[in-house]
Amino acid sequence: MDELFDAAGSLRSAYSRVDWATTPLGPVAGWSRTLRAAVDIALHTRFPVTLLWGPEFVMLYNEAYVDLIGNKHPTALGAPAARVFPEVWDEIGPMLESVRTTRRATWTRNMRLLMDRHGYLEECFFTFSYSAVQGVDRQVEGVIDIASETTGQVLSQRRLVLLAVLTDALGALEEPEQILDRAVSVLRDDPHDLLDVDVLLPRAAGGPPPATPPPVFGAGDVVVDGVAGTARVRVRLPRVSGAGDGAVLVARLSQHLPVDEGYLRFVRLVGATVTQALHRAHTRQAERRMATLERELSEKLQHSLLTPPAQPAGLEVAVRYRPATEWAHIGGDWYDSFLQPDGSLALVIGDVAGHDRQAAATMAQIRNLLRGVAYGRPASPAAVLAGLDRAMGGLRVDAFATAILARVEPGDQPARPGTHTLGWANAGHPPPVLVAPDGRTSLLMTPPEVLLGLSGDVVRTDHRVTLAPGSTVVFYTDGLIERRGTVLDEGLADLTDALADQHGSTAEQVCDHLLGRYPASGEDDIALVVLRIPPTPVAGSHR
């Protein structure tokens, strides 16, 4: 045997079995110096290389090239390329002819070829270059093919892209049925690896069985079986709703790909992506149900405490409560209006720190404590708030709150009938707004004092103002004036402007006007108390 093939390694015996004299190349001894040099180069490189020689492109190749052609070896050795690759000759034949006629090399990246190298047309990808090999007379004797198979990289990238698209498509969906419908749509749009994708839903109670009976999964979540010679895969998914078995993702696997571990791993990742989306939807549904229940309980608690206001003769009192629009923001805002034993009217506006069920429950504690302290002792508003501080400390009410307690009493000036005196104390709460009978507005600003619950020995301060007939005082919580992107002073200025034309309105009308002007906030609830001294004294005596 010619020593030319000594470098062929494991292919040496295959080269020796070829009767080269019967091939278009003829006996080895008669080969041209160019062919012998090209063979020597090909056999001494570890990169996949094949020579396609002569008019019929007879094939000679090295060990590394065998993996690219599979079971076409060893019959490919010494055979014309058109006979070796009939299934792809329409693609590669014209490329080889162009190199021979033009002497220009080709460069092809990740070319898809359906190649029969393992008994079926297999989807393969190659990056390769065909280059002309010229003899001493500058004539093209053959073509050298330097190739690299990229099937693994292309399939991995293709599958990662599909998984990313699927994840993105399912990410914002809330309903399990929507998730399954969208998953099927996305997977059907890219039918390279999974074909005829569908979801089989479990049998409904008393209903007909599914179109295809669910497989027995055993301990796994993926089952591959054959139907009419085609591999099908079934992926177990969690149940959509109710009891019983979960849904099943079904698909036909590509007949052009081996069902290997990489393929099954991709299928499992598809199932995991859909499963995660379904679990996320179930979690969100449970969270919404819990949030709805919590909100209903909190609102019932708040509305049970926020009773209709006391309406003594000669005064108008209107109240409002509007919860935040976001599910989780159940606040601790409250109002109160009640008559004290001496006949004076007590008004309260307050806000417990926090936006949850605990804040609403704490609000109930503080409201009831304040009622008890105020009703049980004939003290000024400042003294009552100081007593509330002590009570919160002694009873371990671990919370902070802002509040205003006001007391309304008839004026003591006979020459000015219908006047009333408003006395109040402010524990860190936004200032009330006074609307004078002529429509002028002002904030009842006072030196700031600490919130309720910070200390049990706080000294509180009383403030007083005389209210002429036609005056209106608006108490509110910060949800009315605080908006994202604005500062507190801007909110207060806007509120006083909003009330400038309301001196002729009733207390109820003022409440409606404010809630209509300021839209519901997603972050905070709103409580309002509006006190109005009618312009003309109402007949009857103050109770």
Side-chain angles (χ1 to χ4, degrees):
M1 180 177 176
D2 197 296
E3 63 182 11
L4 176 64
F5 303 132
D6 288 348
S10 63
L11 299 187
R12 193 173 189 279
S13 61
Y15 269 95
S16 67
R17 287 193 297 270
V18 177
D19 185 0
W20 294 103
T22 63
T23 71
L25 299 183
V28 175
W31 288 2
S32 70
R33 292 169 56 185
T34 303
L35 174 55
R36 296 179 68 89
V39 171
D40 185 65
I41 292 174
L43 296 182
H44 279 87
T45 181
R46 298 176 64 180
F47 204 83
V49 173
T50 185
L51 299 174
L52 302 116
W53 214 258
E56 296 185 51
F57 301 110
V58 176
M59 295 182 62
L60 306 96
Y61 47 84
N62 62 4
E63 285 182 289
Y65 190 77
V66 173
D67 290 339
L68 275 61
I69 60 175
N71 58 16
K72 291 180 181 295
H73 174 76
T75 57
L77 195 60
R83 187 192 310 163
V84 176
F85 299 111
E87 71 277 18
V88 297
W89 192 247
D90 286 345
E91 288 85 3
I92 67 173
M95 298 171 66
L96 289 168
E97 289 290 350
S98 73
V99 173
R100 183 163 57 188
T101 57
T102 67
R103 296 185 174 87
R104 294 194 185 96
T106 67
W107 167 254
T108 307
R109 179 182 176 86
N110 296 330
M111 184 175 185
R112 180 178 184 266
L113 295 172
L114 292 180
M115 185 183 299
D116 182 2
R117 58 180 185 174
H118 294 110
Y120 64 96
L121 290 179
E122 181 181 355
E123 185 179 23
C124 309
F125 295 86
F126 300 94
T127 294
F128 60 94
S129 175
Y130 291 154
S131 301
V133 181
Q134 301 179 47
V136 293
D137 57 356
R138 305 292 295 174
Q139 296 299 309
V140 175
E141 293 190 19
V143 175
I144 185 169
D145 172 19
I146 301 175
S148 174
E149 182 170 1
T150 58
T151 303
Q153 298 95 305
V154 173
L155 293 182
S156 295
Q157 181 64 25
R158 183 171 80 190
R159 291 164 180 173
L160 285 175
V161 169
L162 179 58
L163 288 169
V165 172
L166 182 62
T167 300
D168 184 63
L170 304 184
L173 300 182
E174 301 283 343
E175 298 298 329
E177 292 78 5
Q178 292 179 335
I179 290 172
L180 294 179
D181 289 344
R182 184 68 62 82
V184 169
S185 176
V186 170
L187 295 174
R188 286 180 177 175
D189 284 344
D190 189 7
H192 290 96
D193 295 287
L194 298 174
L195 298 86
D196 303 332
V197 177
D198 204 353
V199 170
L200 303 182
L201 297 178
R203 177 176 181 174
T212 302
V216 178
F217 284 98
D221 291 328
V222 176
V223 169
V224 177
D225 54 25
V227 177
T230 301
R232 295 186 66 86
V233 66
R234 301 164 189 262
V235 183
R236 178 163 51 189
L237 303 174
R239 66 175 181 263
V240 176
S241 60
D245 295 327
V248 178
L249 179 72
V250 298
R252 181 165 55 87
L253 298 181
S254 172
Q255 61 181 331
H256 300 303
L257 291 172
V259 184
D260 55 14
E261 183 54 36
Y263 206 161
L264 295 180
R265 183 165 53 248
F266 163 69
V267 171
R268 292 189 189 99
L269 287 173
V270 170
T273 302
V274 179
T275 295
Q276 289 173 0
L278 290 171
H279 283 319
R280 186 167 56 246
H282 289 316
T283 300
R284 289 173 179 171
Q285 287 181 336
E287 289 174 347
R288 286 197 298 270
R289 286 192 293 267
M290 288 298 297
T292 300
L293 178 59
E294 180 177 303
R295 184 180 183 88
E296 290 175 351
L297 291 174
S298 298
E299 289 185 355
K300 288 178 180 178
L301 172 62
Q302 286 175 310
H303 286 298
S304 68
L305 296 171
L306 303 179
T307 54
Q311 295 281 4
L315 297 176
E316 293 179 18
V317 180
V319 295
R320 294 288 189 278
Y321 173 76
R322 184 169 67 187
T325 57
E326 291 187 9
W327 289 106
H329 290 164
I330 303 299
D333 292 19
W334 89 95
Y335 61 76
D336 207 354
S337 171
F338 57 91
L339 292 174
Q340 295 186 287
D342 63 359
S344 61
L345 174 67
L347 301 175
V348 182
I349 193 76
D351 186 359
V352 174
H355 297 92
D356 53 24
R357 182 174 55 187
Q358 183 59 43
T362 302
M363 174 271 288
Q365 287 182 286
I366 296 176
R367 173 189 180 274
N368 291 335
L369 275 177
L370 178 54
R371 274 195 159 206
V373 173
Y375 197 85
R377 54 188 296 184
S380 70
V384 171
L385 290 185
L388 177 60
D389 277 315
R390 291 190 293 273
M392 290 175 64
L395 296 174
R396 300 185 183 279
V397 179
D398 187 16
F400 306 117
T402 66
I404 293 176
L405 170 62
R407 177 175 292 174
V408 186
E409 301 174 295
D412 54 3
Q413 302 178 31
R416 300 178 62 187
T419 62
H420 286 73
T421 299
L422 175 71
W424 79 96
N426 188 336
H429 201 80
V433 180
L434 171 62
V435 183
D438 61 1
R440 290 178 299 167
T441 58
S442 60
L443 296 171
L444 297 180
M445 299 291 293
T446 57
E449 296 186 3
V450 298
L451 280 63
L452 296 169
L454 283 175
S455 175
D457 56 359
V458 176
V459 176
R460 302 287 183 184
T461 306
D462 282 306
H463 311 279
R464 295 173 66 86
V465 67
T466 299
L467 302 178
S471 299
T472 300
V473 181
V474 178
F475 303 88
Y476 54 92
T477 54
D478 56 7
L480 187 71
I481 58 171
E482 289 186 349
R483 290 293 184 273
R484 185 174 297 177
T486 63
V487 297
L488 182 61
D489 287 347
E490 292 175 351
L492 291 172
D494 188 70
L495 177 59
T496 56
D497 290 342
L499 292 169
D501 60 351
Q502 295 299 304
H503 54 288
S505 301
T506 66
E508 294 286 344
Q509 290 170 338
V510 171
C511 285
D512 292 339
H513 170 72
L514 291 177
L515 293 184
R517 177 182 176 93
Y518 297 102
S521 167
E523 301 176 355
D524 208 353
D525 44 356
I526 295 172
L528 285 175
V529 178
V530 175
L531 167 70
R532 184 169 185 262
I533 314 299
T536 302
V538 176
S541 59
H542 192 288
R543 298 184 302 185

